[in-house]
Amino acid sequence: MNFMKTLFLFLLVACLLGVSGCTDSEDSGPDVPEPDSPEPDPDVPTVPKASGSASTDTRNETVNITSEGQTYPAYTAVPAAEGKYPAVVLIHSFNGFEPGYQEIVDRMAADGFVVVAPQWQTYARSPPDSEVEALVRNSVSYLEGRDDVDPEKLGLTGFCAGGRYTMLFLPRIEEFNSGVAWYGFPYSGGTETRPEAPANLTAQLEAPILVIHGTRDQASNVSDIYRYAGELDAADKYFELKVYQGEPHGFMIEDGELSESFVAQDAYEEMTDFFNRTLNSGTMENSSQ
């Protein structure tokens, strides 16, 4: 009898231990470490998130800008820290305000700029130059009315059609202190809705301009850019020219997104460096003077 009781107790304890082990196994599972985040490939440069000493904290919103009786949405990003900052109007390409442009605006804000990007195609895919110019002027007025903007430090930048607009409006809108034109069209004009070619306004240009282009740009041949640069030089206008070998038209945006290529990284830094020098340090003088 004692033997049977001992055997019974032994079997009972074994069962309890077995049940406890299954429960622990089902609840916790095997001890598998969580996968680590992948390390960035050192051979694939990325576009910088921010540079310099500016805060990486930003605030963004879409505001409405009224121009000639019409209301245009305009994506805006600003540094989160209080203060007065240089400001830039960004004109997107003919393909619209793609996500890549929003990322550029956000990154510029992280680098210490207040940026507004009016959506100039809100009412027409190809509006007249006069309509876009009025919108850009009203975007300037919007920036000048902000408490966080230094109205003496205003820049203009644009891509593709926006590059042409930068070349066209920089000589016309005196509030701008400098501009960066990305793969623009200096000789596009002569139509009813686009009466003036930017190159015709070379004599009126007073603000420094940086022109960024690619040698394989089939939409805007680089030979036109060299010709435009020659005319700026002959007119004794301060400009800088950055040409990337082998790059096509629109190389900053790939499938609507901001490119992560080395060229995109370098070109972004060229733009922000130019604005830092021309807006924060005052208008540059021609080195020959």
Side-chain angles (χ1 to χ4, degrees):
M1 179 66 80
N2 289 338
F3 172 78
M4 293 300 294
K5 287 182 179 181
T6 301
L7 180 61
F8 176 79
L9 291 173
F10 175 81
L11 292 174
L12 179 61
V13 171
C15 289
L16 289 174
L17 288 174
V19 170
S20 176
C22 291
T23 302
D24 290 341
S25 177
E26 292 173 358
D27 288 348
S28 61
D31 186 15
V32 178
E34 295 183 0
D36 295 330
S37 299
E39 291 295 327
D41 187 342
D43 296 326
V44 182
T46 59
V47 181
K49 295 294 185 183
S51 62
S53 59
S55 170
T56 57
D57 294 327
T58 63
R59 294 179 288 108
N60 52 60
E61 62 178 337
T62 298
V63 301
N64 289 323
I65 295 178
T66 300
S67 180
E68 296 187 324
Q70 296 178 311
T71 300
Y72 296 80
Y75 184 75
T76 305
V78 304
E82 292 186 4
K84 282 190 175 293
Y85 297 94
V88 175
V89 177
L90 183 147
I91 310 177
H92 62 74
S93 77
F94 197 72
N95 290 332
F97 188 64
E98 299 173 288
Y101 294 112
Q102 179 174 325
E103 186 168 356
I104 292 175
V105 172
D106 290 339
R107 292 185 178 189
M108 291 183 71
D111 281 332
F113 300 91
V114 174
V115 187
V116 60
Q119 298 183 30
W120 55 274
Q121 293 176 309
T122 298
Y123 298 97
R125 179 165 172 77
S126 184
D129 285 350
S130 57
E131 182 179 315
V132 181
E133 181 175 352
L135 175 58
V136 171
R137 289 183 179 275
N138 283 288
S139 298
V140 168
S141 298
Y142 162 75
L143 289 173
E144 291 177 329
R146 292 185 62 103
D147 293 336
D148 51 5
V149 168
D150 184 339
E152 301 299 319
K153 300 177 178 180
L154 299 181
L156 175 65
T157 190
F159 303 75
C160 179
R164 174 182 176 271
Y165 287 137
T166 299
M167 296 171 173
L168 184 66
F169 300 150
L170 197 60
R172 288 180 171 177
I173 303 177
E174 61 182 12
E175 288 86 353
F176 287 124
N177 304 107
S178 66
V180 179
W182 297 78
Y183 28 84
F185 300 81
Y187 299 98
S188 174
T191 67
E192 183 177 354
T193 58
R194 297 187 180 120
E196 199 75 74
N200 294 341
L201 304 179
T202 299
Q204 298 174 225
L205 181 64
E206 298 297 334
I209 185 171
L210 167 63
V211 178
I212 299 177
H213 216 80
T215 63
R216 305 276 173 87
D217 192 326
Q218 295 184 353
S220 176
N221 195 287
V222 71
S223 62
D224 285 342
I225 299 303
Y226 292 136
R227 175 185 168 194
Y228 178 60
E231 293 175 2
L232 290 172
D233 184 57
D236 208 26
K237 304 299 181 179
Y238 186 85
F239 73 95
E240 295 180 14
L241 176 61
K242 183 69 175 184
V243 177
Y244 291 94
Q245 191 280 325
E247 292 301 314
H249 189 74
F251 60 79
M252 285 294 286
I253 305 296
E254 295 181 350
D255 298 324
E257 302 292 339
L258 183 59
S259 171
E260 295 186 356
S261 69
F262 167 80
V263 167
Q265 171 181 306
D266 189 78
Y268 175 86
E269 291 175 345
E270 288 281 345
M271 174 181 66
T272 53
D273 176 68
F274 184 79
F275 278 137
N276 277 322
R277 288 186 285 115
T278 57
L279 298 184
N280 290 323
S281 302
T283 300
M284 298 182 66
E285 295 182 355
N286 193 312
S287 58
S288 64
Q289 295 177 342

